[in-house]
Amino acid sequence: MNKLIKNIALIVVGLILLNVLSQTVYKRFDLTTDQRYTLNPSALAILDKADAPIVIDVFLEGEAFPSEFRKLQLETRQLLEEFKAYNNNISFSFINPIENDATRDQTIQQLNDRGLTPMQLNVKENGKSSQAVIFPWALASFNNTTVKIPLVKNTIGATQQQLVTNSVQQLEYAFADGISKLVNPKRRKIAVLKGNGQLENKYIADYVKSIRDYYFIAPFTLDSVANQAENTLKKLQEYDLIISAKPTEAFTEKEKFVLDQYTMNGGKSLWLLEQVAMDKDSLYNDLGKNVAIPMDLKLTDFFFKYGVRINPLIVSSMYSAPITLASGEGSDSQFQSYPWTYSPLAKGNTKHPIVNNLDFLKFDFANPMDVLKSSTKKTILLQSAPLSKLEGTPREISLDMVNDQLDPKSFNKGPQTLAVLLEGTFTSVYNNRVKPVNLPNTKNESVPTKMVVISDGDIIKNEVGRTGPEELGFDKYTGQTFGNKEFLINVANYLLDDTGLINIRSKEIAVAFLNPEKISAEKTKWQLLNILLPLVLLGVFGFAFNYLRKKKYAK
């Protein structure tokens, strides 16, 4: 009896010690091969700043979810549980916004007004097809501020399984990015250059609106360089990033020198340039045609020194976005899409976080780029499809070309470079050259900095409808959304990101799915197997146990 009491006492003391230890020592183990539940250090740094409750409402809830999206629902829940385990200020709930049939239409309209657009899905269960509407969004609220978080990563031509796979890979980034908007005050400043024929505000409105959540944005003109170059440079250096969107007027040597010294002092820049004067809108005239001519912005030597060159040629590709034209007159007019090789689709050719898991981007009359030797590190971000060709200028472009028969053999120039990232130490364009203006403390070599050069200005251009600017990358005629906006947001975040948030995009997660056709065909077999096999095994075990027991004690 004393021995029994002693053992019980040891067990009780051991349990108490174990509970005390579990309260002081916290550790979770991720045994998955792709480490999907191990949070990125950048995400953890963002969660550390949540010093007040963050409430997250996830709309992935409902009974008619397809099996693929139930996988997304589960992964979202598990990710948020990791967030909550790391920081108790994180709380979340899953809500079915259209559960009440009486208020269903009103709720859908309210969510649409907030920018939470629904998805209509085909549900195939037990060999039957049906339609389901879901809202793949979450809302995160912190200190009376709310941000929306997209949970589905759209990809052109992707199946529902591919959509879910891409979405699961981006979940951590999507939530970390949303929480970052809540807990990180805006600090960085972006200057949108004006004065050299850049795009009007209404054509870059959607992009500016998107990055305004992260940064302060203001227009900046270089007109004062001619008389006040030093003062202009000082004001320009107050900004962390400059964006020049499709300039059409040449830069003066003084302007180039100020921009060069901005780079030498660590300023970052995003250039969206064209060396050919041609715009799709210029074709919508009575003749339906126009002439593409070379355009000299006087920037060739500028970028040549940094390591890239934009050529005055037009990239034409077999893999391109269609053009939609109207036929007929008045009420009889109809819109029809035609192949249009001058709108090449481009995709990232690296695992770089800017382009990783990114949808195709749409270009219009893009120019090919050469990567040259220089002091900077070059990363090709975007290229056209291998079936591409180059067309010289001047050249007449006509809408009647949609009727031309395409010969794949003529598209033999391979993929063409359309966007390049430059990083590292830049050598001044005016090194060993006469300076166009005297500036104090000029530098011939920069501190480490970054620059992105894109050989098309239309990549940032949104359409303008009757109600104002439309979403960047959205084609209202085909219903497709291209990756233009996401790419450009990634570029700005990468150029200015000092938390490493953009690196979360490089995370690769393997999502396994069951074969729905095989499930439907073999459903009965597996149901019988799961029900009968345990009973058979239990019967065999019982028979064998009784037999051995009788045999043992019969002796």
Side-chain angles (χ1 to χ4, degrees):
M1 181 61 69
N2 290 336
K3 185 177 181 181
L4 178 61
I5 294 173
K6 182 179 180 181
N7 290 337
I8 293 174
L10 288 174
I11 292 174
V12 172
V13 172
L15 290 174
I16 293 174
L17 292 175
L18 182 62
N19 276 276
V20 172
L21 185 64
S22 66
Q23 293 295 322
T24 56
V25 178
Y26 173 81
K27 183 65 178 176
R28 293 165 72 91
F29 298 95
D30 186 354
L31 303 180
T32 57
T33 56
D34 50 17
Q35 296 293 289
R36 70 174 62 187
Y37 304 119
T38 301
L39 298 178
N40 188 283
S42 299
L44 297 179
I46 293 171
L47 294 177
D48 281 334
K49 297 180 180 180
D51 53 2
I54 294 181
V55 179
I56 302 175
D57 294 324
V58 184
F59 298 135
L60 290 177
E61 188 65 45
E63 297 179 357
F65 263 45
S67 57
E68 295 92 342
F69 280 82
R70 284 198 292 269
K71 186 74 173 177
L72 177 61
Q73 181 190 56
L74 176 62
E75 294 289 342
T76 303
R77 187 184 300 276
Q78 290 174 334
L79 176 68
L80 292 177
E81 286 174 352
E82 294 297 323
F83 279 20
K84 182 177 176 60
Y86 186 79
N87 189 332
N88 287 328
N89 284 321
I90 306 293
S91 63
F92 64 92
S93 60
F94 281 70
I95 301 172
N96 182 0
I98 53 177
E99 184 177 14
N100 190 338
D101 292 335
T103 59
R104 175 187 173 97
D105 294 338
Q106 181 181 357
T107 302
I108 291 177
Q109 184 59 46
Q110 289 175 349
L111 293 174
N112 262 311
D113 293 341
R114 297 188 66 173
L116 308 181
T117 54
M119 283 185 68
Q120 189 164 339
L121 306 172
N122 293 318
V123 182
K124 293 183 179 181
E125 298 285 352
N126 301 325
K128 299 180 181 179
S129 297
S130 60
Q131 298 288 324
V133 175
I134 69 168
F135 285 85
W137 296 90
L139 291 177
S141 302
F142 175 78
N143 289 342
N144 299 321
T145 302
T146 301
V147 298
K148 59 183 182 180
I149 300 173
L151 303 181
V152 166
K153 175 70 174 60
N154 286 310
T155 305
I156 297 174
T159 64
Q160 288 188 178
Q161 288 188 0
Q162 291 170 333
L163 278 179
V164 172
T165 299
N166 294 337
S167 302
V168 169
Q169 290 182 349
Q170 293 298 295
L171 274 179
E172 185 178 350
Y173 174 79
F175 279 102
D177 180 51
I179 295 175
S180 177
K181 293 176 184 178
L182 295 173
V183 300
N184 285 326
K186 291 192 289 187
R187 295 178 294 110
R188 306 283 188 167
K189 298 171 65 177
I190 297 177
V192 179
L193 294 187
K194 300 292 183 179
N196 293 89
Q198 284 90 349
L199 288 173
E200 298 179 38
N201 290 338
K202 62 182 180 180
Y203 292 115
I204 60 173
D206 188 58
Y207 177 63
V208 170
K209 178 183 176 182
S210 300
I211 60 174
R212 187 176 288 141
D213 293 335
Y214 305 90
Y215 314 109
F216 296 105
I217 304 173
F220 191 95
T221 179
L222 297 174
D223 293 345
S224 59
V225 167
N227 300 317
Q228 300 178 7
E230 181 180 351
N231 188 45
T232 302
L233 178 59
K234 286 182 179 179
K235 291 183 178 179
L236 189 62
Q237 287 176 339
E238 296 176 2
Y239 295 90
D240 303 285
L241 171 68
I242 60 172
I243 299 176
S244 185
K246 197 178 180 179
T248 55
E249 298 176 10
F251 288 75
T252 66
E253 289 298 321
K254 291 182 179 180
E255 290 173 340
K256 289 160 58 178
F257 185 47
V258 167
L259 292 170
D260 174 77
Q261 288 303 301
Y262 171 79
T263 301
M264 293 305 106
N265 285 279
K268 301 173 177 66
S269 52
L270 168 59
W271 293 90
L272 303 104
L273 305 169
E274 297 180 359
Q275 288 289 81
V276 176
M278 171 52 66
D279 194 293
K280 189 187 292 185
D281 293 341
S282 67
L283 299 175
Y284 300 138
N285 53 45
D286 293 338
L287 299 176
K289 59 184 178 181
N290 211 325
V291 178
I293 58 175
M295 178 172 57
D296 188 6
L297 298 174
K298 305 298 183 182
L299 292 175
T300 302
D301 60 333
F302 191 81
F303 291 104
F304 187 94
K305 190 70 173 182
Y306 294 158
V308 294
R309 176 174 55 205
I310 303 176
N311 299 307
L313 304 169
I314 299 176
V315 177
S316 177
S317 175
M318 286 281 290
Y319 196 80
S320 56
I323 187 172
T324 302
L325 302 176
S327 59
E329 296 182 359
S331 59
D332 296 329
S333 62
Q334 295 181 341
F335 291 95
Q336 187 172 350
S337 295
Y338 299 90
W340 185 248
T341 61
Y342 296 113
S343 295
L345 296 181
K347 198 169 180 65
N349 66 335
T350 69
K351 291 296 183 181
H352 195 279
I354 291 179
V355 293
N356 186 42
N357 197 24
L358 200 65
D359 203 353
F360 285 98
L361 279 76
K362 178 186 175 185
F363 286 73
D364 278 308
F365 297 104
N367 309 141
M369 299 175 64
D370 295 330
V371 177
L372 312 170
K373 289 185 178 180
S374 70
S375 58
T376 58
K377 173 189 174 184
K378 271 79 67 177
T379 303
I380 296 176
L381 296 177
L382 296 173
Q383 288 185 318
S384 65
L387 290 177
S388 299
K389 67 178 180 180
L390 301 177
E391 299 184 1
T393 54
R395 180 179 182 83
E396 184 179 84
I397 306 292
S398 171
L399 293 177
D400 290 335
M401 291 179 174
V402 298
N403 299 315
D404 294 346
Q405 187 69 30
L406 300 179
D407 180 13
K409 294 181 180 179
S410 65
F411 293 83
N412 56 5
K413 293 299 182 181
Q416 297 298 313
T417 300
L418 302 178
V420 177
L421 167 67
L422 308 173
E423 299 176 281
T425 302
F426 290 70
T427 301
S428 172
V429 177
Y430 293 89
N431 184 31
N432 298 324
R433 287 176 55 183
V434 176
K435 311 298 189 286
V437 63
N438 290 324
L439 291 175
N441 304 317
T442 58
K443 295 182 179 180
N444 291 322
E445 189 174 63
S446 77
V447 298
T449 188
K450 306 172 187 176
M451 175 186 295
V452 170
V453 182
I454 304 172
S455 59
D456 179 27
D458 294 310
I459 188 178
I460 198 174
K461 182 179 178 182
N462 57 251
E463 298 294 332
V464 178
R466 294 179 179 178
T467 58
E470 298 177 353
E471 182 181 2
L472 173 61
F474 177 70
D475 188 335
K476 61 184 178 183
Y477 297 107
T478 63
Q480 293 180 332
T481 300
F482 300 96
N484 296 36
K485 180 162 68 171
E486 185 178 0
F487 168 75
L488 293 171
I489 291 175
N490 289 346
V491 168
N493 287 344
Y494 183 82
L495 293 176
L496 294 176
D497 187 19
D498 57 355
T499 66
L501 176 62
I502 191 70
N503 292 320
I504 302 175
R505 291 181 53 84
S506 300
K507 191 172 185 177
E508 296 286 345
I509 296 177
V511 183
F513 293 98
L514 296 176
N515 188 325
E517 296 179 359
K518 198 170 183 179
I519 291 174
S520 179
E522 302 181 8
K523 178 180 179 181
T524 303
K525 181 183 77 172
W526 289 106
Q527 283 179 335
L528 292 174
L529 192 64
N530 285 324
I531 295 172
L532 295 179
L533 183 60
L535 295 176
V536 171
L537 292 176
L538 184 61
V540 170
F541 173 77
F543 176 79
F545 178 79
N546 285 323
Y547 173 77
L548 294 174
R549 186 172 180 273
K550 288 180 179 180
K551 185 177 180 180
K552 178 180 178 182
Y553 290 104
K555 296 180 179 179

